[in-house]
Amino acid sequence: MLSSELSLKEKGRTDFSRKWNETVELFRAKMPLRKHRCRFKSYEHCFTATEAVDWLHELLRRSQNFGPEVTRKQTVQLLKKFLKNHVIEDIKGKWGQEDFEDNRHLYRFPPSSPLKPYPKRPPYQKDVIEFPKWDDPPPGTSQENIPVRPLVMNPEMWYKRHSIAIGEVPACRLVHRRQVTEANVEEIWKSMTLSYLQKILGLDSLEEVLDIKLVNSKFIIHNVYSVSKQGVVILDDKSKELPHWVLSAMKCLANWPNCSDLKQPMYLGFEKDVFKTIADYYGHLKEPLLTFHLFDAFVSVLGLLQKEKMAIEAFQICCLLLPPENRRKLQLLMRMMARICLNKEMPPLCDGFGTRTLMVQTFSHCILCSKDEVDLDDLLAARLVTFLMDNYQEILKVPLALQTSIEERVAHLQRVQIKYPGADMDITLSAPSFCRQISPEEFEFQRAYGSQEPLAALLEEVITDAKLSSKEKKKKLKQFQKSYPEVYQERFPTPESEALLFPEKPKAKPQLLMWALKNPFQPFQRTRSFRM
């Protein structure tokens, strides 16, 4: 267990070492150096702290790994780490314990290389994600005593296997697949989901970005099917829900009304207090919403941001791997962040920061970070959260193409199939010893009347079904007559034979006018005439 954890840790740091080295190499190669004077003394091949911040900030903003959302403050933090790791040193050769500030202090590059070594990765075999084979016995059973007869493909067998193509139809049988269990369905969801992700990322193996053994297929299925009308995950365990007071605060800011609404508490600074409540809760999570395990997978998608459609599809699949409670919290948080950024009526939540920048800086760390501190974590998290906030409605949807493909796969495995002797390497049935060629007339007769037998059986089922009322039975027979008139005509050749199925009921005699016989001997009373 310890060795596997160490290998995963090394795999996680490889990608960051590469990005660190790329940034350092560009900085050392392209950073302008010139002569500077300080306290009546001249220094060659150096630069000021402000010049370094200006140049590196522009480099990061144009990089596809970071993007235009990188702030100057984040650039200063990175240069502090450069100084701590001896990527740069002050003009007197000091580094490590020194502090870097955005000022006129002079710095230079040390003569030694500051690049980080790549962790050595043990050789591995490419993971080939295979679909389960339904002919395999359940786990725990032995196949040692099962006799297997090898199949030899001689010309006669080849002729018999392809006899359909030349008009000869051999005997066949219906094959009922063994029941697809819940475990089978879960394995299909896991294997096909990971196959889609591996294909989109263009990797030879997913071992580079995640441990497949830690992927929970139940999480994937729950995130696909247990959702509300708005697409938000519904949790079975209500104890894992957001606290009521946090959810109320998020709804308050997400649905912030106009100032004319008298129901909204409007004391000065109310919205800032509500926002601080939400930020404090998310800031104290034990693990980021995108989890430590999936950190490398999400970071690897950042390389696809130039291809927006592929990046969205990759993020969709990665988000399906999340625990349902994490996915629900992420959905509610991203919806609130996006609505706050688009709400022009929202008062400023922080002095000195725009609303969009505030959202990214406040929640980046609780959404994405690695288990071990990495130098570029903050910049990568800001880049990912910005893209996620701009496209959260698409990213947090279930990928329809993946869902349809898996459901069709499961349905296919449950479907009854027809097998011919010798087809699909079937060695359980012996092939027929000979095939008799028939005439075209006999073939047409078999084709026409061979299919009428099951139709006639279906018609008899409708006729003898005692559960159907007369009205329903007449309706079904009428539909059958319209669709298959020949089969219906053979069963009911005359109207009389059809009438026997529904005998006419004796008509009820009209009821006597009892009211007329109540007073039979009452004398007739002549009504008053209307004639004038």
Side-chain angles (χ1 to χ4, degrees), residues 213-224:
K213 296 178 182 178
L214 298 180
V215 175
N216 193 326
S217 57
K218 295 182 183 293
F219 290 169
I220 304 174
I221 297 175
H222 189 101
N223 290 334
V224 170

Side-chain angles (χ1 to χ4, degrees), residues 407-424:
E407 289 175 348
E408 289 178 352
R409 172 79 178 172
V410 174
H412 170 73
L413 295 172
Q414 294 173 334
R415 193 176 298 129
V416 176
Q417 297 183 353
I418 299 176
K419 276 198 175 182
Y420 296 93
D424 297 333

Side-chain angles (χ1 to χ4, degrees), residues 115-156:
L115 301 183
K116 292 186 177 181
Y118 292 115
K120 293 183 179 180
R121 179 178 299 171
Y124 64 90
Q125 297 180 351
K126 295 182 179 180
D127 292 339
V128 180
I129 301 174
E130 298 181 353
F131 297 122
K133 299 178 181 179
W134 307 115
D135 293 333
D136 293 344
T141 59
S142 174
Q143 291 183 319
E144 295 180 356
N145 300 324
I146 301 179
V148 178
R149 179 168 60 87
L151 180 65
V152 180
M153 291 299 295
N154 52 33
E156 181 182 1

Side-chain angles (χ1 to χ4, degrees), residues 459-483:
L459 179 59
E460 289 298 329
E461 265 187 49
V462 176
I463 294 173
T464 57
D465 192 349
K467 296 181 180 179
L468 294 176
S469 63
S470 297
K471 185 177 180 180
E472 292 176 343
K473 189 175 292 187
K474 286 181 181 180
K475 183 179 180 180
K476 289 184 177 294
L477 290 176
K478 197 169 185 180
Q479 292 175 347
F480 191 96
Q481 182 182 16
K482 186 177 180 181
S483 302

